[in-house]
Short mmCIF file of all heavy atoms in Angstrom, two decimals:
data_model
loop_
_atom_site.label_atom_id
_atom_site.label_comp_id
_atom_site.label_asym_id
_atom_site.label_seq_id
_atom_site.Cartn_x
_atom_site.Cartn_y
_atom_site.Cartn_z
N ARG M 197 -42.68 33.61 -13.52
CA ARG M 197 -44.10 33.97 -13.41
C ARG M 197 -44.45 34.35 -11.98
O ARG M 197 -45.08 35.38 -11.71
CB ARG M 197 -44.99 32.79 -13.84
CG ARG M 197 -46.49 33.12 -13.85
CD ARG M 197 -47.38 31.91 -13.67
NE ARG M 197 -47.16 31.23 -12.41
CZ ARG M 197 -47.56 31.68 -11.22
NH1 ARG M 197 -48.24 32.81 -11.13
NH2 ARG M 197 -47.29 31.01 -10.11
N ASP M 198 -44.00 33.53 -11.05
CA ASP M 198 -44.24 33.77 -9.63
C ASP M 198 -43.70 35.15 -9.23
O ASP M 198 -44.40 35.96 -8.60
CB ASP M 198 -43.54 32.65 -8.83
CG ASP M 198 -43.77 32.75 -7.34
OD1 ASP M 198 -44.52 33.63 -6.89
OD2 ASP M 198 -43.15 31.94 -6.61
N PHE M 199 -42.46 35.43 -9.64
CA PHE M 199 -41.86 36.71 -9.29
C PHE M 199 -42.63 37.87 -9.93
O PHE M 199 -42.95 38.87 -9.27
CB PHE M 199 -40.40 36.77 -9.73
CG PHE M 199 -39.78 38.11 -9.49
CD1 PHE M 199 -39.39 38.48 -8.22
CD2 PHE M 199 -39.62 39.02 -10.53
CE1 PHE M 199 -38.85 39.74 -7.97
CE2 PHE M 199 -39.08 40.27 -10.30
CZ PHE M 199 -38.70 40.63 -9.01
N ALA M 200 -42.95 37.75 -11.22
CA ALA M 200 -43.64 38.83 -11.93
C ALA M 200 -45.00 39.11 -11.28
O ALA M 200 -45.35 40.26 -11.01
CB ALA M 200 -43.83 38.48 -13.40
N GLU M 201 -45.72 38.06 -10.97
CA GLU M 201 -47.09 38.26 -10.48
C GLU M 201 -47.11 38.63 -9.00
O GLU M 201 -47.86 39.51 -8.58
CB GLU M 201 -47.94 37.03 -10.78
CG GLU M 201 -48.02 36.79 -12.30
CD GLU M 201 -49.17 35.91 -12.74
OE1 GLU M 201 -49.60 35.06 -11.94
OE2 GLU M 201 -49.62 36.08 -13.90
N ASN M 202 -46.28 37.96 -8.18
CA ASN M 202 -46.39 38.15 -6.74
C ASN M 202 -45.47 39.22 -6.18
O ASN M 202 -45.71 39.72 -5.09
CB ASN M 202 -46.16 36.81 -6.04
CG ASN M 202 -47.29 35.85 -6.36
OD1 ASN M 202 -48.45 36.24 -6.34
ND2 ASN M 202 -46.95 34.63 -6.71
N TRP M 203 -44.42 39.58 -6.89
CA TRP M 203 -43.54 40.67 -6.41
C TRP M 203 -43.79 41.94 -7.21
O TRP M 203 -43.93 43.00 -6.65
CB TRP M 203 -42.08 40.25 -6.52
CG TRP M 203 -41.68 39.22 -5.50
CD1 TRP M 203 -41.93 37.87 -5.57
CD2 TRP M 203 -41.01 39.44 -4.25
NE1 TRP M 203 -41.44 37.25 -4.44
CE2 TRP M 203 -40.85 38.19 -3.61
CE3 TRP M 203 -40.49 40.56 -3.62
CZ2 TRP M 203 -40.22 38.03 -2.38
CZ3 TRP M 203 -39.85 40.42 -2.39
CH2 TRP M 203 -39.73 39.17 -1.78
N MET M 204 -43.82 41.80 -8.54
CA MET M 204 -43.99 42.98 -9.38
C MET M 204 -45.46 43.37 -9.54
O MET M 204 -45.75 44.43 -10.10
CB MET M 204 -43.39 42.74 -10.76
CG MET M 204 -41.89 42.51 -10.76
SD MET M 204 -41.27 42.13 -12.41
CE MET M 204 -41.58 43.69 -13.27
N ALA M 205 -46.37 42.50 -9.09
CA ALA M 205 -47.81 42.73 -9.28
C ALA M 205 -48.15 42.89 -10.76
O ALA M 205 -49.01 43.68 -11.14
CB ALA M 205 -48.28 43.96 -8.48
N MET M 206 -47.46 42.13 -11.58
CA MET M 206 -47.60 42.23 -13.04
C MET M 206 -48.06 40.88 -13.59
O MET M 206 -47.30 39.92 -13.62
CB MET M 206 -46.24 42.61 -13.64
CG MET M 206 -46.23 42.73 -15.15
SD MET M 206 -44.63 43.35 -15.78
CE MET M 206 -43.66 41.82 -15.71
N PRO M 207 -49.33 40.81 -14.01
CA PRO M 207 -49.81 39.53 -14.55
C PRO M 207 -49.08 39.19 -15.85
O PRO M 207 -48.80 40.09 -16.65
CB PRO M 207 -51.30 39.79 -14.81
CG PRO M 207 -51.45 41.27 -14.86
CD PRO M 207 -50.34 41.86 -14.02
N VAL M 208 -48.79 37.93 -16.05
CA VAL M 208 -48.08 37.53 -17.27
C VAL M 208 -48.72 36.29 -17.88
O VAL M 208 -49.38 35.51 -17.18
CB VAL M 208 -46.58 37.23 -17.00
CG1 VAL M 208 -45.83 38.50 -16.62
CG2 VAL M 208 -46.40 36.15 -15.94
N LEU M 283 -41.93 47.23 -14.99
CA LEU M 283 -42.56 47.68 -13.74
C LEU M 283 -43.10 49.10 -13.89
O LEU M 283 -44.24 49.39 -13.50
CB LEU M 283 -41.49 47.65 -12.64
CG LEU M 283 -41.95 47.93 -11.23
CD1 LEU M 283 -42.52 46.67 -10.62
CD2 LEU M 283 -40.79 48.44 -10.38
N THR M 286 -46.15 49.20 -16.23
CA THR M 286 -47.34 48.47 -15.78
C THR M 286 -48.16 49.30 -14.79
O THR M 286 -49.39 49.31 -14.86
CB THR M 286 -46.92 47.13 -15.13
OG1 THR M 286 -46.26 46.34 -16.10
CG2 THR M 286 -48.14 46.37 -14.61
N HIS M 287 -47.50 49.99 -13.88
CA HIS M 287 -48.24 50.60 -12.77
C HIS M 287 -48.26 52.11 -12.72
O HIS M 287 -49.14 52.69 -12.08
CB HIS M 287 -47.64 50.10 -11.44
CG HIS M 287 -47.66 48.63 -11.28
ND1 HIS M 287 -48.82 47.88 -11.33
CD2 HIS M 287 -46.65 47.73 -11.08
CE1 HIS M 287 -48.52 46.60 -11.17
NE2 HIS M 287 -47.21 46.48 -11.02
N LEU M 295 -45.02 52.15 -7.24
CA LEU M 295 -44.24 50.95 -6.91
C LEU M 295 -45.10 49.92 -6.17
O LEU M 295 -45.77 50.26 -5.19
CB LEU M 295 -43.06 51.32 -6.02
CG LEU M 295 -41.94 52.10 -6.68
CD1 LEU M 295 -40.91 52.53 -5.65
CD2 LEU M 295 -41.28 51.26 -7.78
N PRO M 296 -45.02 48.67 -6.59
CA PRO M 296 -45.64 47.62 -5.79
C PRO M 296 -44.90 47.52 -4.46
O PRO M 296 -43.66 47.49 -4.46
CB PRO M 296 -45.47 46.36 -6.63
CG PRO M 296 -44.40 46.67 -7.62
CD PRO M 296 -44.38 48.14 -7.80
N PRO M 297 -45.62 47.52 -3.34
CA PRO M 297 -44.95 47.57 -2.03
C PRO M 297 -43.86 46.52 -1.83
O PRO M 297 -42.84 46.80 -1.21
CB PRO M 297 -46.10 47.37 -1.05
CG PRO M 297 -47.28 47.96 -1.75
CD PRO M 297 -47.07 47.62 -3.21
N ARG M 298 -44.02 45.31 -2.36
CA ARG M 298 -43.02 44.28 -2.09
C ARG M 298 -41.65 44.64 -2.64
O ARG M 298 -40.64 44.12 -2.18
CB ARG M 298 -43.44 42.92 -2.66
CG ARG M 298 -44.55 42.29 -1.82
CD ARG M 298 -44.77 40.85 -2.18
NE ARG M 298 -43.82 39.97 -1.50
CZ ARG M 298 -43.86 38.64 -1.57
NH1 ARG M 298 -44.80 38.05 -2.31
NH2 ARG M 298 -42.98 37.90 -0.93
N LEU M 299 -41.59 45.50 -3.66
CA LEU M 299 -40.30 45.87 -4.23
C LEU M 299 -39.90 47.31 -3.90
O LEU M 299 -38.79 47.73 -4.25
CB LEU M 299 -40.32 45.68 -5.75
CG LEU M 299 -40.36 44.24 -6.23
CD1 LEU M 299 -40.54 44.18 -7.75
CD2 LEU M 299 -39.10 43.47 -5.82
N LEU M 407 -52.70 47.44 -1.41
CA LEU M 407 -52.16 48.17 -2.56
C LEU M 407 -51.50 47.20 -3.55
O LEU M 407 -51.72 47.28 -4.76
CB LEU M 407 -51.14 49.22 -2.07
CG LEU M 407 -50.33 49.95 -3.14
CD1 LEU M 407 -51.25 50.64 -4.15
CD2 LEU M 407 -49.39 50.97 -2.49
N GLN M 408 -50.70 46.27 -3.01
CA GLN M 408 -50.05 45.28 -3.87
C GLN M 408 -51.10 44.54 -4.72
O GLN M 408 -50.96 44.38 -5.93
CB GLN M 408 -49.28 44.27 -3.00
CG GLN M 408 -48.56 43.16 -3.75
CD GLN M 408 -47.18 43.55 -4.26
OE1 GLN M 408 -46.55 44.48 -3.77
NE2 GLN M 408 -46.72 42.85 -5.28
N GLN M 409 -52.18 44.11 -4.05
CA GLN M 409 -53.22 43.35 -4.74
C GLN M 409 -53.97 44.23 -5.75
O GLN M 409 -54.28 43.79 -6.86
CB GLN M 409 -54.21 42.77 -3.71
CG GLN M 409 -55.25 41.83 -4.31
CD GLN M 409 -54.61 40.59 -4.94
OE1 GLN M 409 -53.75 39.96 -4.35
NE2 GLN M 409 -55.04 40.24 -6.16
N GLU M 410 -54.26 45.46 -5.35
CA GLU M 410 -55.01 46.34 -6.26
C GLU M 410 -54.20 46.65 -7.52
O GLU M 410 -54.76 46.78 -8.61
CB GLU M 410 -55.38 47.64 -5.54
CG GLU M 410 -56.52 47.43 -4.54
CD GLU M 410 -56.85 48.69 -3.72
OE1 GLU M 410 -56.11 49.70 -3.86
OE2 GLU M 410 -57.81 48.64 -2.94
N LEU M 411 -52.89 46.78 -7.37
CA LEU M 411 -52.06 47.03 -8.55
C LEU M 411 -52.10 45.83 -9.49
O LEU M 411 -52.22 45.99 -10.72
CB LEU M 411 -50.61 47.33 -8.14
CG LEU M 411 -50.38 48.62 -7.36
CD1 LEU M 411 -48.90 48.78 -7.02
CD2 LEU M 411 -50.88 49.83 -8.13
N PHE M 412 -52.03 44.64 -8.91
CA PHE M 412 -52.13 43.44 -9.75
C PHE M 412 -53.50 43.39 -10.43
O PHE M 412 -53.60 43.15 -11.64
CB PHE M 412 -51.92 42.19 -8.89
CG PHE M 412 -52.02 40.91 -9.69
CD1 PHE M 412 -50.92 40.43 -10.38
CD2 PHE M 412 -53.23 40.22 -9.80
CE1 PHE M 412 -51.01 39.27 -11.15
CE2 PHE M 412 -53.32 39.06 -10.56
CZ PHE M 412 -52.21 38.59 -11.24
N ASP M 413 -54.55 43.62 -9.66
CA ASP M 413 -55.90 43.53 -10.20
C ASP M 413 -56.11 44.53 -11.34
O ASP M 413 -56.75 44.22 -12.35
CB ASP M 413 -56.94 43.77 -9.10
CG ASP M 413 -56.93 42.65 -8.06
OD1 ASP M 413 -56.36 41.56 -8.34
OD2 ASP M 413 -57.50 42.85 -6.97
N ALA M 414 -55.61 45.74 -11.15
CA ALA M 414 -55.79 46.77 -12.18
C ALA M 414 -55.05 46.37 -13.46
O ALA M 414 -55.56 46.56 -14.57
CB ALA M 414 -55.27 48.12 -11.66
N ALA M 415 -53.85 45.83 -13.29
CA ALA M 415 -53.07 45.42 -14.47
C ALA M 415 -53.75 44.25 -15.17
O ALA M 415 -53.79 44.18 -16.41
CB ALA M 415 -51.65 45.04 -14.05
N LEU M 416 -54.32 43.35 -14.38
CA LEU M 416 -55.01 42.20 -14.98
C LEU M 416 -56.26 42.67 -15.71
O LEU M 416 -56.56 42.21 -16.82
CB LEU M 416 -55.37 41.18 -13.89
CG LEU M 416 -56.01 39.88 -14.38
CD1 LEU M 416 -55.07 39.14 -15.34
CD2 LEU M 416 -56.37 38.98 -13.19
#
Side-chain angles (χ1 to χ4, degrees):
Chain M
R197 184 205 61 74
D198 182 4
F199 176 77
E201 299 199 332
N202 293 316
W203 288 79
M204 297 177 66
M206 179 174 80
V208 292
L283 186 83
T286 298
H287 302 302
L295 289 174
R298 286 193 83 175
L299 290 174
L407 172 56
Q408 179 85 21
Q409 186 63 46
E410 286 175 355
L411 294 180
F412 179 85
D413 293 345
L416 184 60

